[in-house]
Structures are given as structure tokens and as C-alpha cells.
Amino acid sequence: FGFPDFGAIREEHFTGAFEVAMAEHRAEVAAITARPGPPTFDDTVVALERSGATLRRVSAVFFVLVGSLSTPAIRETEARVAPLLAEHADAISLDPALFSRLDALHAVRHELGLDAESLRLLERRHRDAGRAGARLDPAAQERLRALNAQLSTLSTEFGTRLLADTNAAALVVDEPGRL
């Protein structure tokens, strides 16, 4: 059914997998922003939608394990990877060349002859980029990047502490008569 072979995946595989997947995604976005000429829906929005497939797969497998098999090594990897993922997301959402392409398409969206679904996708991508900080000046974007990195670190730390406290509060009943 297309599921990964969880038995073959080792905790030490994830750091390298994330590095490769993020580099691949950055290269895909760089290819979008490097295209000459005015942007089109297909070479910008559709290409952006298709980008990052490897990163989505790696993230899906990893975060399933974080939630279900949270070993110390998985938690350590999450602590290392979370700020990198935040930095990666910021690099894409705050990319001025990418936002410029989205903004140009958004400005003429009603003249592009898009179906309702494509129009909605373009509008959401443009709105989400704006909300993510693409319109901020460079100094404000740097502050946003720092805050996002801090939030990712604190969120991971909170999850680790919550898991530890939950495990410590567990009541283990190992004698059937005590049930």
C-alpha cells in the first residue's frame, strides 16, 4: 500500500534524510524562481505544489515515529531537526523572488482563465506567503526567523517534557489481582 518498511528504518537515518530532502526542496524552489520571463500558473504555483515531495515523505515517517515510538534517539533527532525545518520553511516562505512571482500572478489572477480550484490555490498560496511574513522588511523577517527557530525548539522541548511527565505519572499494574 505504499507504506515505508518501518523495520528497515533506523533512527540514525533521519538526520541525513532530512538534510537531503531539504536540499532537494530548496533546489526545486530555486528552479522555480530562476525561470526567465513572467511567471505562469503552471511554472510557479503548480511547480511549487509539486516541490518538496521527498521532504513530505521523510517528515511523515519521522513524525509518525515521534508520536508512536518516541525513543531517546528519536527525541534527540527531533530536537536537532526542528529548528532546521523551521529555518527551511522560512527560507521558502520568505523568499522574495518566489513571493514576487506569486504576487505578480495574484495581481492578474482573474485574467488567467483559471478554474475555481486553481484560483483558490493561487489565492491561498499568496495569502499564506503574506501571513508567513513575505511582505515584511528584511529586519522584521530576520526577527521572525529567530522567533520561529525559538518556537520550534521550545515546542520540541515541551513535547519531550510532557512525554517524560506522562510516563512518570503512569500507573503500572503488573499483578492481575490488583486490577
Side-chain angles (χ1 to χ4, degrees):
F1 298 108
F3 290 108
D5 181 3
F6 283 98
I9 298 171
R10 300 287 171 254
E11 294 162 339
E12 60 270 12
H13 294 161
F14 284 107
T15 300
F18 273 114
E19 290 169 356
V20 167
M22 285 187 282
E24 180 182 295
H25 192 200
R26 282 190 304 271
E28 291 167 345
V29 172
I32 293 169
T33 61
R35 289 195 170 107
T40 67
F41 181 80
D42 286 338
D43 75 8
T44 302
V45 179
V46 172
L48 191 57
E49 284 294 304
R50 290 184 175 152
S51 71
T54 302
L55 182 57
R56 283 190 298 277
R57 283 195 317 270
V58 170
S59 295
V61 171
F62 179 72
F63 288 107
V64 161
L65 293 178
V66 166
S68 64
L69 180 73
S70 195
T71 65
I74 289 285
R75 299 305 294 192
E76 288 172 21
T77 301
E78 183 186 20
R80 278 193 315 275
V81 167
L84 298 176
L85 288 171
E87 180 183 333
H88 176 75
D90 283 342
I92 292 172
S93 63
L94 301 177
D95 183 324
L98 182 60
F99 184 69
S100 175
R101 292 179 73 84
L102 288 170
D103 203 33
L105 287 170
H106 187 263
V108 296
R109 66 190 178 278
H110 297 296
E111 300 163 22
L112 297 174
L114 300 174
D115 60 42
E117 183 179 358
S118 298
L119 179 62
R120 176 79 171 138
L121 178 60
L122 172 58
E123 289 173 342
R124 285 193 60 120
R125 278 286 186 175
H126 185 263
R127 182 201 67 199
D128 292 350
R131 287 181 178 174
R135 287 189 183 95
L136 295 173
D137 63 74
Q141 284 187 359
E142 282 308 309
R143 175 78 175 125
L144 178 62
R145 289 174 198 269
L147 290 171
N148 286 341
Q150 184 180 17
L151 282 172
S152 71
T153 299
L154 291 173
S155 295
T156 301
E157 184 179 327
F158 175 78
T160 299
R161 288 182 180 189
L162 180 62
L163 178 63
D165 287 349
T166 302
N167 288 340
L171 174 63
V172 178
V173 180
D174 51 6
E175 296 177 27
R178 291 184 62 202
L179 291 175

